[in-house]
Amino acid sequence: MQRRLIATLAILTLVATGVTGCKKKSEEQAQTQPTQSQITTAAPAAPAGGQPAASATATTGEQLFKQHCAACHPNGANTITPAKTLSKKAMADRNIKSADDIVKIMRNPGPGMNKFDEGMIPNDDAKKIGDYILATFP
């Protein structure tokens, strides 16, 4: 009986730490990551060959998702609000059907989700995340 109680308390502690850790981690990332203006002023407008830059970063949607989203949305789940997963059906039920819809949620989230403004995630990268979510979580 005592073992079961200790195990339950340990699990609850881990869950509580994980849930509150999502917001804190994102806040720390926001403080340590450069703003979009810092990125664009440090980078040249076009490469030496005269070709325009492809996007703000050469990072894939999967890499960006893992960096910014996976802590609270592991495998498309939702550690804060379990009913609001990233599955196509669950998102369609909330009228989220395109990458642009996902970006709107990132920019203006509901309760429990961190806000990801353009300074934290440029629009091109946010769209990559949206495309990745739509292609990855059925």
Side-chain angles (χ1 to χ4, degrees):
M1 181 72 171
Q2 241 181 346
R3 271 184 156 164
R4 184 178 267 173
L5 179 62
I6 291 171
T8 303
L9 288 175
I11 290 170
L12 288 173
T13 301
L14 289 173
V15 169
T17 303
V19 169
T20 58
C22 291
K23 186 164 182 89
K24 181 161 178 61
K25 181 178 179 184
S26 292
E27 288 170 355
E28 289 170 359
Q29 285 176 344
Q31 292 172 355
T32 59
Q33 291 181 347
T35 63
Q36 179 60 26
S37 62
Q38 290 170 327
I39 292 169
T40 54
T41 56
Q51 298 295 322
S55 75
T57 67
T59 311
T60 67
E62 179 180 13
Q63 292 167 325
L64 291 163
F65 178 86
K66 287 178 180 178
Q67 179 183 356
H68 297 287
C69 312
C72 294
H73 294 284
N75 298 317
N78 188 327
T79 61
I80 306 298
T81 310
K84 292 184 175 182
T85 69
L86 301 181
S87 74
K88 283 186 184 181
K89 182 184 180 332
M91 288 194 307
D93 290 345
R94 297 188 315 271
N95 206 28
I96 302 168
K97 299 176 182 176
S98 69
D100 288 333
D101 292 336
I102 293 170
V103 173
K104 286 178 189 173
I105 298 297
M106 292 169 67
R107 301 292 189 230
N108 249 335
M113 183 173 161
N114 296 319
K115 182 176 183 174
F116 296 97
D117 61 20
E118 285 185 62
M120 180 177 268
I121 304 175
N123 280 332
D124 288 346
D125 289 351
K127 190 152 173 36
K128 287 181 189 178
I129 291 171
D131 289 335
Y132 171 77
I133 290 169
L134 292 172
T136 304
F137 305 111

